[in-house]
Structures are given as C-alpha cells and as structure tokens.
C-alpha cells in the first residue's frame, strides 16, 4: 500500500511528523479488552518509493490482541471498489458495515 491508500483507511498520522516525504507514520489506537481499556501504538515504515514495507505494534502484545479478536469475512471484491480505484463504493461500505 502507498501513503494515499493508508491515509484513506487510517487517516492522518497521529503524530506531527507531517505527511509528505516522511518515511514513518505513527498512530495511537484505544482498545477495550477483557481486562479493560488499553492503548497501542501502530508504526508504519515506508520505503524510498513511499510504499509501506514494515508494520509494528507497541507494546508487542497489541498485535497478538488484535489477531485474537480479528473477524474473518469473505466479501466480493467486485462490489467493494470501482475499477482502478482505492475508494470504497457505496455497496462496499454497506457490506463492510454488516457484521
């Protein structure tokens, strides 16, 4: 994924490094688990072409928590995006909202 695609999914990075030319984006996420609320940092590192290449959770147990609570759902790709587009279609949004 490139920066534009990640920006569409996760929004602006949560720290003030800026967007253009920066090779690291950081996000903070608040989660609720069986032991209460907790905060995780998610770091994305970009290569020189500004494509995302490395992803890190801090603390490390955040990645394990997310895998344990992840849902799997099979969706038809032809309804999620128009041809050659990274923007969700209206039908795609509806399908993702159904859980």
């Amino acid at each position: 994924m490139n920066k534009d695609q990640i920006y569409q999914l996760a929004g602006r990075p949560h720290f003030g490094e800026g967007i253009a030319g920066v090779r690291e984006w950081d996000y903070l996420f608040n989660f609720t688990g069986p032991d209460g609320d907790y905060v995780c940092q998610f770091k994305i590192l970009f290569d020189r072409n500004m494509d995302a290449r490395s992803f890190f959770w801090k603390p490390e147990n955040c990645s394990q928590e997310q895998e344990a609570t992840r849902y799997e759902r099979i969706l038809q790709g032809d309804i999620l995006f128009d041809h050659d587009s990274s923007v969700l279609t209206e039908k795609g949004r509806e399908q993702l909202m159904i859980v």
Side-chain angles (χ1 to χ4, degrees):
M1 295 181 80
N2 62 38
K3 284 186 170 185
D4 290 335
Q5 292 166 323
I6 291 174
Y7 187 90
Q8 289 293 319
L9 290 172
R12 184 178 208 78
H14 296 157
F15 297 100
E17 300 103 341
I19 293 181
V22 176
R23 293 180 60 182
E24 175 180 318
W25 281 7
D26 296 286
Y27 294 89
L28 288 177
F29 293 104
N30 297 303
F31 297 107
T32 300
D35 298 326
D37 296 338
Y38 57 99
V39 176
C40 294
Q41 179 181 349
F42 185 61
K43 179 184 294 289
I44 303 170
L45 300 179
F46 298 91
D47 63 16
R48 67 179 134 165
N49 297 319
M50 297 304 167
D51 290 324
R53 291 292 176 224
S54 302
F55 307 88
F56 303 96
W57 285 100
K58 187 175 181 180
E60 289 182 19
N61 67 342
C62 285
S63 66
Q64 295 166 352
E65 288 288 326
Q66 298 319 303
E67 287 184 28
T69 59
R70 188 171 28 186
Y71 297 98
E72 183 173 326
R73 185 177 168 95
I74 298 172
L75 301 170
Q76 294 179 321
D78 59 341
I79 66 158
L80 296 178
F81 301 95
D82 287 329
H83 177 72
D84 201 26
S85 173
S86 62
V87 179
L88 280 170
T89 64
E90 187 62 37
K91 280 188 175 182
R93 280 193 200 97
E94 290 171 10
Q95 285 293 311
L96 291 174
M97 297 305 289
I98 300 171
V99 177

